[in-house]
Amino acid sequence: YIIFYILKCVFLLVYYPSMERYIDIHCHLLNSQNIEHTIKRAESIGCVGCLCNSERISDWQKLLDLTKRYDFVRGAIGIHPWNIMEHDITKVKNQMEQILYEKQNIMIGEIGLDSKYPDIKKQIDFFTTQYEIALKYRRVESLHCVGAWDIILHIIKENRNTVPIIAHSFSGNIDIIKQLQNAYFSYSPMILNKKYKKMRDSVFFTPMDKILIESDGTDLTILPDIILEISKINKFYWIKLVVVIIYFDLITPFFFIIFYNIKNKIYAD
């Protein structure tokens, strides 16, 4: 039996990479010139689904059509803080509420604040409106934040957040991680570049069951590279070895643990 078990473990170690599955929690498929090809390439490396974000109101119907056409795609509607100047907040509110009322599997994103872009007051108005809608309809929101975590944390605390937040392309510090208790922290391809030290430092302090990954674009095949880099930063190689050899029959394989919450809490209809 011991010999059989050892052989089984060796087999799992050799073939384990082919068992890995990924979910891209923040992408922009609408920017792809060939969406069908992009999805096929993603599936070829083990990606089983994605959350496609929108950036402006003109994206919303295209996104809804995309979610109907492909089971692979889940959608999020929102106004990106870079694009608020071209929108009327009342129109956004009315149209967003109508869609969320009719479509139970649509989430909210990409929304947030960006201190590098003008009119932070108007950004706050747009973010607060969309955030309150997310709470009303109990939808996950994909959050963009650059240099404005103090404002966002204040708004979240005032509204007593009760729905999960995805902190997209997160590079905040450990204090922000502690304050965002009902949140997941998503890491983008920026983590592959060592010059983004803040992001690489933040992943080290992020609880393992709160780590998500994203392409933040149209190349979903980059997901395995992001996972590998997170593993290197957190020195998880030995954990993967222990999990596969000793606990394979008892618990979920290591890399699947990272995405288990997404599959059950966020990705499912």
Side-chain angles (χ1 to χ4, degrees), residues 161-180:
N161 181 57
T162 56
V163 296
I165 292 171
I166 299 169
H168 141 67
S169 198
F170 183 70
S171 60
N173 59 39
I174 189 171
D175 292 331
I176 296 170
I177 293 173
K178 288 178 178 178
Q179 291 183 69
L180 285 172

Side-chain angles (χ1 to χ4, degrees), residues 233-246:
I233 293 170
N234 285 320
K235 298 178 176 61
F236 280 159
Y237 286 124
W238 68 272
I239 299 179
K240 177 178 178 180
L241 182 67
V242 169
V243 169
V244 174
I245 293 179
I246 301 177

Side-chain angles (χ1 to χ4, degrees), residues 149 153 156-157 161 165 167 170-185 187 202 204-207 210:
W149 275 114
L153 287 170
I156 289 173
K157 287 176 182 176
N161 181 57
I165 292 171
F170 183 70
S171 60
N173 59 39
I174 189 171
D175 292 331
I176 296 170
I177 293 173
K178 288 178 178 178
Q179 291 183 69
L180 285 172
Q181 294 182 358
N182 197 21
Y184 295 85
F185 304 90
Y187 292 95
S202 69
F204 184 80
F205 294 108
T206 305
K210 296 287 187 178

